[in-house]
Amino acid sequence: MNHRNGFNPLSRTTAHRRAMSRNMVTSLFRYERITTTKSKALEVRKSAEKLITRAKEDSVHNRREVAKFIADEKILNKLFTEIAPRMKERNGGYTRVLKLGYRQGDAADVVILELVDYKLEDEAKEEKKASKKSADSDAPKAKKTTSKAKAEGTSEAKPAKKTTSKKAAEKKEAPASK
């Protein structure tokens, strides 16, 4: 029976479990999306959500408490400056678990653990293109130069230098001396 067990030990020692949890939470905040097994994701999710809740209020005390768990200073800063402000209006539920299927080797449930507001790279590129197109259509057209003027401009560029190195000159002289 599993009554009153607060966490899943994941068949690991305490030190191993704690280190793995810290590494996975750091990876989650770095990439905002990780692929892992279902049981690990559910355990990592608990600590990640608590850290995001702490990071919503940026104070020295909260930074030090979160720094006990996250060793990487860049990721710690990203959590407080980028991730937590995006979650400001949300009262929990900062992560989502998406099922992928079963791993071939051991048939373990594989899932994606991601932050709720994570956007795929394709969607982000499409949004940039759309905003760029609207900015281009609003901007006045610049004067176009003719291809003839462009060609003249490039032909007036620096003339190609004809250089011979000292070694090449010495090699030409060396066969004559043999």
Side-chain angles (χ1 to χ4, degrees):
M1 277 191 250
N2 196 20
H3 297 307
R4 299 188 54 87
N5 280 354
F7 64 95
N8 182 354
L10 299 171
S11 300
R12 286 164 170 78
T13 62
T14 304
H16 184 188
R17 186 175 56 250
R18 198 173 286 158
M20 182 188 66
S21 177
R22 288 177 178 176
N23 287 333
M24 290 182 76
V25 168
T26 302
S27 294
L28 176 65
F29 292 149
R30 176 178 287 134
Y31 303 111
E32 299 186 12
R33 183 178 195 168
I34 57 174
T35 303
T36 184
T37 61
K38 184 179 177 184
S39 55
K40 286 181 191 174
L42 296 178
E43 285 303 310
V44 168
R45 168 188 227 172
K46 292 176 187 176
S47 46
E49 299 222 358
K50 288 177 185 176
L51 292 175
I52 293 172
T53 301
R54 259 222 197 259
K56 286 167 77 171
E57 184 184 330
D58 193 359
S59 67
V60 175
H61 177 67
N62 284 344
R63 276 188 181 262
R64 287 179 178 168
E65 288 296 315
V66 173
K68 288 178 183 177
F69 204 84
I70 297 175
D72 192 347
E73 197 171 313
K74 289 180 183 177
I75 302 304
L76 181 70
N77 194 33
K78 179 181 179 181
L79 174 63
F80 277 89
T81 59
E82 294 176 27
I83 297 172
R86 291 189 320 215
M87 307 288 185
K88 203 69 168 175
E89 301 301 317
R90 194 176 271 278
N91 294 326
Y94 311 115
T95 58
R96 131 183 350 125
V97 176
L98 303 170
K99 295 180 183 179
L100 287 180
Y102 299 102
R103 192 162 52 195
Q104 187 156 8
D106 59 356
D109 277 333
V110 179
V111 298
I112 293 175
L113 177 65
E114 68 180 9
L115 297 177
V116 170
D117 61 350
Y118 177 79
K119 292 185 180 178
L120 291 173
E121 292 174 12
D122 297 337
E123 293 174 6
K125 287 179 184 177
E126 290 174 8
E127 287 178 9
K128 285 181 184 178
K129 287 180 183 178
S131 63
K132 195 173 189 181
K133 286 180 183 179
S134 64
D136 288 345
S137 63
D138 294 342
K141 300 288 182 183
K143 292 182 181 178
K144 292 185 179 180
T145 58
T146 61
S147 59
K148 193 174 191 181
K150 285 183 183 177
E152 290 174 6
T154 56
S155 64
E156 292 176 11
K158 297 178 185 176
K161 292 183 181 179
K162 198 173 188 182
T163 58
T164 56
S165 65
K166 292 179 182 178
K167 289 182 180 178
E170 289 174 5
K171 284 183 181 179
K172 288 180 183 176
E173 293 175 10
S177 63
K178 286 185 179 176

